[in-house]
């Protein structure tokens, strides 16, 4: 069973929904999830915010954060996930932002990827939030594939 199948099965069993906000993975997480039969019971939709201005206009990432810190950082990843969760009306959301190459972005080396997973608000408390930073090796496609796999793996660990 693939990681995407495991995510769909686990989320369907808990009757919760999922959305994504992807940058360097370009919709690859959503594509992996929707390749699974029955994904429509879980997967609500995706924002593919490849261009930096779309991170602000579609996902609600703070424009000042982008101007001052760039787009490859923990807070951008977190705001992207929260933006997807709100825009798609999902219980859970996962995001990726990073550098697939061939050159650095905002001072971040090729292979640098930030991930965020956010969950449903519980009572009056804040939403559960999880972030991770990874450094992958390889060419552009290897980095993108590793990021998709890690995002799905991270979802499974968090759930």
């Amino acid at each position: 069973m693939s990681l995407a199948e495991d995510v769909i099965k686990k989320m369907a069993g808990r009757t919760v929904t999922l959305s994504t906000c992807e940058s360097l993975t370009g919709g690859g997480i959503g594509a992996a999830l929707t390749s699974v039969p029955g994904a429509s019971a879980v997967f609500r939709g995706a924002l593919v915010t490849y261009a930096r201005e779309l991170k602000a206009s579609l996902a609600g990432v703070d424009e000042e954060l982008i101007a001052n810190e760039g787009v490859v950082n923990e807070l951008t990843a977190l705001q992207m996930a929260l933006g997807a969760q709100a825009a798609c009306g999902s219980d859970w959301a996962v995001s990726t932002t990073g550098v697939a190459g061939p050159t650095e972005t905002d001072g971040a080396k090729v292979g640098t990827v930030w991930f965020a997973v956010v969950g449903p608000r519980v009572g009056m408390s804040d939403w559960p939030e999880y972030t991770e930073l990874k450094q992958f090796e390889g060419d552009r496609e290897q980095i993108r594939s590793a990021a998709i796999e890690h995002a799905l793996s991270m979802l499974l660990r968090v759930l």
Side-chain angles (χ1 to χ4, degrees), residues 7 11 16-20 33 42-45 90 92-94 155:
V7 168
M11 294 190 98
V16 293
T17 57
L18 175 66
S19 62
T20 64
L33 291 166
V42 170
F43 190 67
R44 298 271 306 151
S90 64
W92 290 87
V94 62
L155 269 169

Side-chain angles (χ1 to χ4, degrees), residues 81-98:
L82 289 167
Q85 185 184 44
C88 297
S90 64
D91 298 307
W92 290 87
V94 62
S95 70
T96 58
T97 185

Side-chain angles (χ1 to χ4, degrees), residues 19 21 47 58-61 78-89 93 118:
S19 62
C21 187
L47 304 176
L58 296 179
V61 176
L78 188 55
Q79 288 183 10
M80 287 170 64
L82 289 167
Q85 185 184 44
C88 297
V118 296

Side-chain angles (χ1 to χ4, degrees), residues 110-153:
V110 173
T112 303
V113 184
W114 274 101
F115 300 85
V117 172
V118 296
R121 190 173 189 160
V122 180
M124 297 300 288
S125 65
D126 288 333
W127 289 265
E129 301 170 349
Y130 308 90
T131 58
E132 291 183 4
L133 172 63
K134 291 300 232 180
Q135 183 68 45
F136 299 112
E137 299 294 326
D139 64 22
R140 181 175 176 78
E141 205 46 47
Q142 290 169 321
I143 291 166
R144 287 168 36 89
S145 293
I148 292 165
E149 184 174 314
H150 183 79
L152 294 169
S153 176

